[in-house]
């Protein structure tokens, strides 16, 4: 109910969700429904990759080129390229030699894959792996899970949608949407505005248990200081350790599955259905590739520093070049032919996560420096879409042709994003939030952690002040 578009009340009322967490086919059906209902497909060119976008200073327009040879001239260029769309496959030696079927969780065949009777290897244990592993394990003859870093995962407690719940939500949709927009993360979760350290150990355990039973991402909001105090965070981590050891029968496997090297929530908290329990199956082997890294992919499997594993299907659940990857794959050039790649060699720099100094009339939807991946993406996407549309209308009404962030406002925003990020525990994890998962990527905490509601107020305030921090031309 929360993870859906809010721009049309008819759409909200007519669409029926069938589960607490809709699965991929249902989300795809929803996306297609939205596109058809609002007749969007006539404006979409599919199967096309944009290869470059260059700002023509004389014409004050963008020239966009595609891999199909299209050349498009446009006043504005809006990058809606996604934060998690540029697949990441680590440069393992021998990857091309693997003779069996290869998959990446981020580009899964739409018709599905049946692993019945197959021996399968999966590299990675992030959200995508954690959601896939229990399903693949039920089919496969054997599943090898190659884990470098264990993750914290909360049960999803997915259930069929309760019709009464859906009816109640629909009756109060405007209020729910308003609450989401003003919230910290773009959806309303029960928050405790007290420190984890201000209550007794018994009370903490009761509260953690309540959230564990309820399921879902709200766990990280159990106490005010879980994301900012290591000591508070340790209490939540200890709760997880106990849970994992209770679920997983083999204590050595349980220990391997227990995160130890980063605070809870500083890598994206995962949500699963039967993940830890899957490691009690006879046909599942957890392989620690932290102590013995993968050395080579071979035609029939892979070799680590400690042993050989043979399988006939290989799944990369190795994530994405997050937040900047899709943008930088396009040759984007602003004033004076400056490339975005050069400008961002030390990490992304934006004003409000929406715009870049030196790149007039270029907007990024949920760009680095905005709440983006730390929020309900749809709420954040809609906020950016509305802000950009209002901005374009304002320029037209004022007879202006360009808008461009000033260097000073960009510098100040980058400093602010850093300052707030470093008030939290997030930078302690080698996560994709900081670019740590991509070899050679600069280590910068990219999303804005100041909160969806506060960020919206800031963006609205900038607009109300006649686009403060921008130069209008
Ligand atoms: P993630 O969360 O980036 O997970 C990728 C996983 O792949 C993670 O466990 C990585 O371990 C692992 N990985 C990456 N490179 C290697 C190498 N070289 N060797 C071994 N293991 C490796 O991607 P997901 O697709 O699961 O989720 C992305 C987001 O989508 C998620 O956060 C949600 O917001 C939705 P590492 O932790 O780096 O040691």
């Amino acid at each position: 109910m929360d993870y859906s578009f809010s721009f049309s009340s008819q759409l909200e009322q007519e669409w029926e969700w069938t589960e607490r967490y809709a699965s991929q086919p249902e989300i795809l059906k929803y996306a297609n429904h939205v596109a058809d209902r609002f007749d969007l497909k006539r404006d979409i060119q599919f199967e096309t990759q944009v290869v470059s976008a260059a700002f023509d200073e004389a014409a004050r327009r963008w020239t966009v080129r595609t891999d199909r040879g299209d050349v498009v001239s446009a006043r504005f260029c809006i990058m809606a390229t996604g934060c998690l769309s540029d697949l990441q496959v680590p440069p393992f030696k021998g990857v091309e030699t693997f003779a069996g079927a290869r998959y990446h969780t981020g580009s899964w065949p739409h018709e599905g894959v049946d692993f019945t009777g197959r021996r399968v290897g999966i590299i990675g244990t992030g959200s995508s792996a954690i959601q896939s592993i229990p399903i693949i394990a039920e089919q496969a003859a054997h599943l090898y899970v190659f884990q470098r870093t264990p993750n914290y995962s909360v049960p999803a407690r997915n259930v069929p949608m309760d019709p009464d719940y859906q009816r109640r939500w629909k009756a109060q949709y405007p209020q729910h949407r308003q609450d989401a927009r003003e919230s910290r993360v773009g959806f309303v979760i029960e928050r405790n505005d007290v420190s984890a350290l201000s209550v007794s150990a018994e009370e903490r355990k009761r509260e953690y248990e309540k959230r564990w039973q309820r399921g879902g991402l709200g766990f990280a909001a159990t106490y005010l200081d879980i994301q900012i105090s290591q000591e508070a965070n340790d209490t939540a981590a200890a709760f997880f350790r106990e849970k994992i050891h209770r679920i997983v029968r083999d204590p050595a496997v349980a220990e391997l599955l227990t995160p130890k090297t980063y605070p809870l929530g500083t890598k994206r908290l995962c949500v699963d259905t039967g993940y830890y329990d899957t490691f009690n199956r006879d046909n599942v082997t957890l392989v620690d590739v932290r102590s013995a890294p993968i050395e080579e992919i071979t035609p029939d499997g892979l070799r680590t520093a400690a042993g050989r594993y043979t399988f006939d299907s290989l799944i990369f659940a190795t994530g994405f070049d997050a937040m900047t990857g899709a943008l930088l794959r396009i040759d984007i050039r602003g004033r004076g032919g400056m490339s975005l790649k050069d400008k961002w060699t030390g990490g992304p720099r934006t004003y409000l996560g929406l715009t870049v100094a030196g790149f007039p009339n270029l907007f990024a939807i949920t760009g680095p420096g905005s709440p983006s991946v730390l929020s309900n993406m749809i709420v954040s996407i809609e906020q950016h879409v509305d802000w950009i549309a209002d901005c374009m209308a304002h320029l037209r009404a004022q007879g202006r042709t360009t808008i461009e962030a000033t260097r000073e406002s960009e510098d100040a925003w980058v400093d602010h994003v850093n300052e707030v990020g470093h008030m939290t525990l997030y930078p302690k994890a080698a996560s994709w939030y900081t670019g740590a998962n991509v070899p050679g990527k600069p280590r910068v905490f990219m999303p804005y952690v100041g909160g969806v509601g506060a960020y919206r107020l800031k963006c609205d305030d900038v607009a109300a002040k006649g686009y403060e921090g921008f130069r209008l031309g």
Side-chain angles (χ1 to χ4, degrees), residues 125-177:
T125 48
S127 290
S128 302
I130 282 178
Q131 295 184 12
S132 319
I133 283 167
I135 298 169
I136 297 166
E138 279 178 13
Q139 302 173 345
H142 201 92
L143 178 63
Y144 293 98
V145 177
F146 298 97
Q147 172 188 274
R148 186 164 67 182
T149 316
N151 263 290
Y152 295 94
S153 188
V154 189
R157 314 266 180 226
N158 194 19
V159 284
M161 178 63 77
D162 170 0
D164 279 344
Y165 178 86
Q166 179 142 235
R167 215 171 297 121
R168 277 200 312 276
W169 256 76
K170 285 188 175 181
Q172 295 160 11
Y173 241 140
Q175 188 59 49
H176 284 306
R177 300 302 199 183

Side-chain angles (χ1 to χ4, degrees), residues 109 174 232 248 261 269 315 357 419 460:
V248 179
T261 55
L269 200 59
I315 302 166
E419 186 188 354
D460 289 350

Side-chain angles (χ1 to χ4, degrees), residues 16-32:
E16 302 278 324
W17 293 105
T18 69
E19 290 181 285
R20 179 179 181 190
Y21 292 102
S23 61
Q24 182 271 343
E26 187 167 347
I27 295 170
L28 181 59
K29 202 168 137 205
Y30 176 71
N32 272 308

Side-chain angles (χ1 to χ4, degrees), residues 101 103 108 112-121 132-143 281 283 311-313 315:
Y103 306 94
W108 204 251
V113 184
D114 182 3
F115 290 103
T116 306
R118 288 205 236 163
R119 286 167 309 156
V120 182
S132 319
I133 283 167
I135 298 169
I136 297 166
E138 279 178 13
Q139 302 173 345
H142 201 92
L143 178 63
R281 297 176 66 104
N283 69 332
F311 41 81
D312 21 58
S313 301
I315 302 166

Side-chain angles (χ1 to χ4, degrees), residues 92-103 115 118-123 144 146 296-303 308-316:
F92 294 117
K93 187 176 157 204
V95 73
E96 294 306 324
T97 67
F98 186 70
R102 264 188 290 164
Y103 306 94
F115 290 103
R118 288 205 236 163
R119 286 167 309 156
V120 182
I122 183 164
I123 302 175
Y144 293 98
F146 298 97
E296 188 180 8
I297 310 281
T298 59
D300 62 352
L302 65 74
R303 192 168 51 74
R308 292 185 80 93
Y309 301 88
T310 56
F311 41 81
D312 21 58
S313 301
L314 173 56
I315 302 166
F316 291 100

Side-chain angles (χ1 to χ4, degrees), residues 61 193 281 334 355-356 370 407 419 446 468:
R61 294 177 74 86
D193 282 333
R281 297 176 66 104
T355 57
V356 183
S370 74
R407 183 73 47 146
E419 186 188 354
M446 294 183 286
E468 184 182 49

